[in-house]
Amino acid sequence: MIDGLIFDKDGTLFDFRVSWGRWAATFLRRIAADDGHAVRLGQAIGYDLATATFAPDSPVIAATAADIAAALLPELPGMTLAELTDRIDASAGMAPMSEAVPLRPLLDALRGKGLRLGLATNDSEAPARQHLESHGITDCFDFIAGYDSGHGAKPGPGMCLAFVRQTGLQPARVAMVGDSRHDLEAGRAAGMRTVAVLTGIAKREELAPHADVVLADIGAIPGWLSGLKA
């Protein structure tokens, strides 16, 4: 019933709070003039430096590097949007990602069942590939796209549709797996099933109306797939 899975990256493959909380604290302090400035920069992107937590509407959760840069830019006079976006991308590529579950065994098991796997992230493609490479899982994916890969950003369906075009799969036999409404709305718009996971910031009650199933994390996907075949 399912021939392919297309995954979001942040909050899905990688635990969002741990991975991007560390990145935000480091990046904001690096570009800030002083501690007070760092706090204001954090407020601009919905990140509390004191508690290392993100607001539910933080652009870091599901928006693009350009969107994050646009939110920060009013606090950084003299810097252009393009310059700041480039700095975010360069820094993001070096961010230490924390796996939501042991990824290599899971992805190998899914591929062993004959599934085609894709990645669709609102991160830029270059840092996304750096994250996959640093965890030794790039070769697990048949398709990798970021918001700047030419297919548009989520919640638009462009990346999902590009995955099925490249693999020759039918959208109805593919599931989009993600931790945010952007992910689920993109999958639905592409005619796919949708799987929500709770390793991001969004709560079950926010995701459930947009998902065919809500799982604790992607480690539960094999069990879900087995239930579909029953």
Side-chain angles (χ1 to χ4, degrees):
M1 297 176 68
I2 296 292
D3 299 321
L5 297 166
I6 183 162
F7 293 91
D8 171 55
K9 179 172 68 71
D10 303 318
T12 303
L13 296 180
F14 301 107
D15 183 284
F16 185 87
R17 292 174 181 85
V18 175
S19 302
W20 290 101
R22 291 184 298 196
W23 171 82
T26 300
F27 181 72
L28 294 177
R29 289 192 172 100
R30 183 178 299 146
I31 64 172
D34 52 41
D35 289 345
H37 190 207
V39 170
R40 294 195 302 275
L41 288 169
Q43 292 170 343
I45 58 169
Y47 178 74
D48 188 324
L49 274 165
T51 61
T53 56
F54 289 95
D57 60 350
S58 168
V60 180
I61 296 171
T64 68
D67 293 328
I68 297 167
L72 289 170
L73 203 60
E75 291 288 343
L76 295 164
M79 188 173 289
T80 69
L81 181 64
E83 289 169 344
L84 186 52
T85 301
D86 287 345
R87 288 194 66 171
I88 290 171
D89 280 341
S91 175
M94 303 301 293
M97 295 287 103
S98 177
E99 297 184 0
V101 301
L103 291 175
R104 187 79 210 196
L106 173 64
L107 297 175
D108 281 345
L110 293 172
R111 288 179 65 86
K113 296 178 183 294
L115 294 170
R116 306 293 295 274
L117 306 182
L119 181 79
T121 176
N122 273 357
D123 198 355
S124 306
E125 182 177 337
R129 287 184 176 275
Q130 286 178 268
H131 296 157
L132 299 182
E133 185 62 31
S134 68
H135 289 263
I137 56 173
T138 306
D139 62 308
C140 295
F141 293 91
D142 302 289
F143 173 88
I144 298 169
Y147 85 94
D148 57 350
S149 300
H151 312 296
K154 296 174 290 186
M159 288 186 275
C160 294
L161 294 173
F163 172 63
V164 295
R165 285 197 302 270
Q166 180 168 310
T167 57
L169 301 179
Q170 295 299 311
R173 296 180 66 91
V174 174
M176 174 70 211
V177 185
D179 68 300
S180 76
R181 284 184 58 177
H182 276 15
D183 302 320
L184 306 177
E185 289 170 358
R188 285 272 172 90
M192 298 176 174
R193 295 194 185 205
T194 53
V195 177
V197 291
L198 300 176
T199 40
I201 301 296
K203 305 294 186 182
R204 178 183 295 271
E205 55 268 26
E206 179 185 347
L207 299 176
H210 308 278
D212 292 296
V213 64
V214 181
L215 305 176
D217 55 49
I218 58 174
I221 288 176
W224 174 69
L225 290 171
S226 296
L228 293 179
K229 297 174 183 176

